[in-house]
């Protein structure tokens, strides 16, 4: 099992690891531990480099299953000790963005009882779909004002890894469809914005809402029926 360092420390920018396997045809390097997030839940993967014996190997993509895709012809050897260095600017922008999406989700659920039906993000921008029958401009403006109030409230963001049975007892996690998790998953990682939102989530986040910045709702689209889409930018 690969040790997933990002699960408990999103601020880890550099780490040491050992190469456990290499796939030359696919340009993939596998490590015994990693701080690179592989993407998921709408959050893109990290990028950065691996360094070994004076050689730098650009990591252009990371996939689930501990697959670090290397750009270039050279690859480190099995057993090599490497230093992984994240593209921190990209990572921190994604941390801010992902937390912003949770703030948006938390406010809409708390104040309008509208569940999330989908979402996606890139550094400092994202979209989220909600079950609204109507979403007039004045409500959109109200939502934008409320989410920025939550940022100013400087709420702590806490990460825990819970036994599956314990996680199932938390009502707020049920709306995130935790019941769809495969039976083989015995532990569930939760992200809590204290006093606002609690969800099962595997992504990376800032430690306090004040680090997010300012959220601006930039666009709105009706996707049919009760599915309404909000686009946001983080400034």
């Amino acid at each position: 099992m690969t040790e997933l360092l990002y699960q408990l420390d999103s601020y880890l920018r550099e780490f040491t690891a050992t190469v456990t396997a290499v796939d030359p045809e696919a340009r993939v390097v596998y490590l015994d531990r990693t701080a690179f997030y592989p993407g998921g839940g709408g959050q893109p993967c990290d990028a950065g480099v691996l360094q070994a014996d004076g050689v730098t190997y650009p990591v252009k993509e990371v996939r689930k299953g501990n697959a670090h895709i290397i750009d270039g012809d050279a690859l480190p050897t099995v057993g090599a000790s490497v230093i992984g260095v994240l593209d921190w600017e990209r990572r921190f922008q994604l941390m801010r963005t992902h937390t912003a999406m949770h703030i948006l989700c938390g406010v809409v659920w708390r104040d309008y009882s509208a569940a999330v039906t989908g979402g996606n993000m890139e550094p400092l921008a994202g979209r989220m779909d909600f079950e609204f029958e109507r979403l007039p401009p004045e409500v959109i403006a109200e939502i934008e004002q409320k989410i920025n109030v939550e940022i100013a409230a400087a709420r702590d963001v806490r990460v825990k890894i819970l036994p599956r049975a314990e996680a199932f007892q938390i009502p707020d996690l049920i709306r995130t469809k935790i019941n769809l998790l495969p039976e083989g998953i015995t532990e569930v990682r939760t992200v809590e914005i204290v006093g606002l939102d609690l969800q099962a989530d595997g992504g990376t986040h800032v430690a306090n809402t004040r680090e997010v910045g300012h959220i601006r709702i930039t666009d709105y689209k009706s996707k049919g029926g009760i599915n309404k889409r909000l686009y946001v930018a983080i400034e």
Side-chain angles (χ1 to χ4, degrees):
M1 291 289 291
T2 304
E3 184 181 0
L4 305 178
L5 303 170
Y6 59 82
Q7 286 197 336
L8 292 176
D9 186 0
S10 293
Y11 289 84
L12 188 62
R13 308 184 189 194
E14 186 174 308
F15 66 98
T16 59
T18 300
V19 177
T20 57
V22 173
D23 183 341
E25 290 188 6
R27 315 298 306 156
V28 176
V29 172
Y30 299 92
L31 306 174
D32 66 336
R33 60 204 303 263
T34 185
F36 285 94
Y37 181 64
Q43 179 178 335
C45 69
D46 287 326
V49 299
L50 298 178
Q51 300 171 337
D53 298 323
V55 180
T56 296
Y57 306 93
V59 178
K60 67 176 183 178
E61 184 182 355
V62 185
R63 299 175 187 166
K64 290 182 180 179
N66 181 28
H68 301 73
I69 316 300
I70 304 300
D71 189 14
D73 296 330
L75 292 172
T77 58
V78 174
S81 178
V82 300
I83 298 173
V85 183
L86 274 65
D87 178 342
W88 176 248
E89 181 177 5
R90 172 184 170 84
R91 157 62 80 81
F92 190 59
Q93 287 178 352
L94 287 168
M95 288 164 58
R96 292 170 58 202
T97 305
H98 201 160
T99 306
M101 303 299 272
H102 277 230
I103 294 170
L104 174 61
C105 176
V107 166
V108 170
W109 176 257
R110 180 193 67 191
D111 295 348
Y112 307 94
S113 300
V116 176
T117 58
N120 208 348
M121 72 190 82
E122 57 187 75
L124 302 184
R127 63 168 176 81
M128 188 162 279
D129 298 346
F130 296 97
E131 290 182 337
F132 275 107
E133 289 190 9
R134 294 181 60 255
L135 193 54
E138 60 269 22
V139 174
I140 295 174
E142 184 178 85
I143 291 171
E144 181 178 273
Q145 188 270 334
K146 287 181 176 181
I147 57 182
N148 284 293
V149 165
E150 297 301 333
I151 290 173
R155 296 185 181 275
D156 286 336
V157 181
R158 298 175 182 170
V159 173
K160 293 182 181 179
I161 297 179
L162 303 176
R164 183 189 181 96
E166 181 178 340
F168 262 99
Q169 303 305 311
I170 303 174
D172 278 346
L173 292 182
I174 300 303
R175 66 185 171 90
T176 65
K177 298 182 174 59
I178 186 175
N179 55 314
L180 298 182
L181 287 172
E183 289 297 329
I185 295 179
T186 59
E187 294 182 325
V188 177
R189 182 177 182 267
T190 64
V191 175
E192 178 185 13
I193 301 177
V194 177
L196 176 65
D197 188 57
L198 176 61
Q199 296 189 44
D201 182 87
T204 59
H205 293 268
V206 295
N208 189 283
T209 59
R210 65 173 177 268
E211 296 178 77
V212 169
H214 181 84
I215 306 174
R216 184 165 53 91
I217 297 178
T218 59
D219 200 2
Y220 155 82
K221 289 183 180 178
S222 176
K223 304 302 289 184
I226 61 171
N227 197 31
K228 304 298 185 289
R229 177 171 293 176
L230 293 176
Y231 293 85
V232 301
I234 290 80
E235 301 170 338

